[in-house]
Amino acid sequence: MVNKIFRVVIGILVIAGVIYGIYFILPGQYKGPIRQAIQEMIDSDAKKLADEYRNAKVPKNDGVTFEKMMLSASASPSWYVKTISEQADKVTGEYEVSVDGYKVTLEMPHENGQTNKQVYTNAHVKIVFNVSRAADGTLKTTGWKLFINDVEQDDFYKQAACDDMSEMVK
């Protein structure tokens, strides 16, 4: 009897180890939605915070939300909230809300006005919002960054990338 219980426990551990190993081998475009789903099941506060930024408007693009922009421009975008610091009351704190999109094609102008355009195909676009939550629960965005293939973009290219991806919504 003890032998059978031991075999079942070992079998469960082996299956869990295989699933864990497969998860870490997966590329980001498949791992992100899994991570998002798990976080949203476990942490309802993180889901609410991510929803705030999903529904936020893209600067200088009327009526386009970040969610619509990323859904139309990328394959399987995923949202994730990372806690930087949080007080014991779990009301105030600093957070990073990020969205990853894969297989994005971008065509952006050069900052110096050259006539040819910068083109990215199958790019990985990541947007990171730095957020602080005050004691009354209000959220304040302290800044946001845009990365293309893990390279942070300056304000000109950040806006150009958002403009190009927002064009796909319209």
Side-chain angles (χ1 to χ4, degrees), residues 4 29 42 46 54 74 77 85 88 103 111 113 127 141 144 148:
K4 285 188 177 191
Q29 71 188 57
I42 294 172
R54 279 186 185 107
S74 66
S85 67
K103 297 187 178 184
E111 190 169 16
I127 301 173
T141 304
W144 65 286
I148 300 174

Side-chain angles (χ1 to χ4, degrees), residues 9-130:
V9 169
I10 293 296
I12 291 170
L13 290 175
V14 167
I15 291 171
V18 168
I19 291 171
Y20 187 77
I22 289 172
Y23 173 78
F24 280 101
I25 293 172
L26 287 174
Q29 71 188 57
Y30 303 113
K31 191 184 301 184
I34 294 170
R35 181 179 64 178
Q36 174 185 334
I38 291 170
Q39 184 179 47
E40 289 179 353
M41 282 190 287
I42 294 172
D43 189 355
S44 62
D45 290 335
K47 181 179 180 348
K48 289 176 191 171
L49 188 56
D51 286 343
E52 287 280 332
Y53 286 89
R54 279 186 185 107
N55 298 322
K57 303 285 187 223
V58 178
K60 300 179 183 174
N61 288 279
D62 294 333
V64 178
T65 63
F66 280 98
E67 180 177 39
K68 286 181 185 176
M69 178 184 77
M70 292 302 288
L71 281 171
S72 65
S74 66
S76 61
S78 62
W79 293 78
Y80 187 73
V81 177
K82 178 180 174 186
T83 302
I84 305 299
S85 67
E86 190 171 66
Q87 302 302 321
D89 59 10
K90 295 208 176 226
V91 174
T92 59
E94 301 285 326
Y95 308 92
E96 275 187 358
V97 178
S98 61
V99 57
D100 286 290
Y102 294 87
K103 297 187 178 184
V104 178
T105 300
L106 294 169
E107 188 176 304
M108 303 184 305
H110 281 281
E111 190 169 16
N112 59 11
Q114 294 176 356
T115 55
N116 59 339
K117 299 197 179 240
Q118 281 187 301
V119 177
Y120 294 92
T121 56
N122 286 331
H124 169 218
V125 174
K126 181 175 188 169
I127 301 173
V128 179
F129 300 95
N130 298 316

